[in-house]
Amino acid sequence: GDSVTQMEGPVTLSEEAFLTINCTYTATGYPSLFWYVQYPGEGLQLLLKATKADDKGSNKGFEATYRKETTSFHLEKGSVQVSDSAVYFCADTLGGSNYKLTFGKGTLLTVNP
Amino acid sequence: NAGVTQTPKFQVLKTGQSMTLQCAQDMNHEYMSWYRQDPGMGLRLIHYSVGAGITDQGEVPNGYNVSRSTTEDFPLRLLSAAPSQTSVYFCASSYSGGRGYEQYFGPGTRLTVT
């Protein structure tokens, strides 16, 4: 079955450091790919997405590119802030099955001043 | 729009008790889903619905029932609570118009079974 693997945390960075969180998927075909973020005590919210190969999703300074050849969707940010401290989840879904996300296990990011 | 709402926010149950977690959305989304979040496990799909009257099992359905009598509501029932069901439960909804539409999540219900 489909699975999503993301780098294990926790990740601790200083403010203004570069962030990469790796994510790979196993789904065949052309899944849609997502990064969700969960701030402490809250539900998940969409950070960015990509629906086809070579698409780049971006939001709030975060970026991720859909790489079909490596089945990857790595999350990057050039300069993190304390307010970026959260848990980040990579997820995919096949075709139009938007009710059926497969999630990675999540990566806890802590950014120190 | 209130988005996706869930009640209660917190609940403590004894083993063997039953209860219903409520979920409602006001975005007229066809798709709704229930997930549970456990430490180190990410989110796992319990049940989902693609429209009123239509439900199906996800990855971890045992011990849970759902029904969808209206577009807006999608309650999750625990039939006989067990300590293994201690978790945070999230309800989500999504537009059904095609690929790539995001799921909108509720704030979660933190359930403890003693």
Side-chain angles (χ1 to χ4, degrees), chain A residues 4 13 17 21 24 35 42 58-59 62 64 68-70 77 89 93 107:
Chain A
V4 174
L13 297 173
I21 302 177
T24 58
W35 277 101
E42 298 184 10
S58 61
N59 186 25
F62 290 89
K68 182 115 179 95
E69 63 276 12
T70 54
K77 187 174 185 182
F89 292 93
T93 183
T107 302

Side-chain angles (χ1 to χ4, degrees), chain A residues 3 5-6 10 14 18 21 29-30 36 41 50 60 62-63 76-78 90 100 102 107-108:
Chain A
S3 66
T5 302
Q6 61 183 100
S14 298
F18 184 84
I21 302 177
Y30 295 89
Y36 281 83
K60 300 182 182 179
F62 290 89
E63 293 182 340
E76 296 182 337
K77 187 174 185 182
C90 187
K100 216 171 180 181
T102 299
T107 302
L108 173 62

Side-chain angles (χ1 to χ4, degrees), chain A residues 37-91:
Chain A
V37 59
Q38 184 180 32
Y39 298 104
E42 298 184 10
L44 279 72
Q45 54 186 276
L46 180 70
L47 180 59
L48 53 84
K49 67 180 182 183
T51 59
K52 61 183 188 294
D54 301 324
D55 265 3
K56 178 185 282 189
S58 61
N59 186 25
K60 300 182 182 179
F62 290 89
E63 293 182 340
T65 301
Y66 189 145
R67 302 283 188 203
K68 182 115 179 95
E69 63 276 12
T70 54
T71 62
S72 65
F73 193 54
H74 305 321
L75 183 68
E76 296 182 337
K77 187 174 185 182
S79 176
V80 293
Q81 306 300 313
V82 172
S83 57
D84 294 327
S85 298
V87 181
Y88 293 81
F89 292 93
C90 187

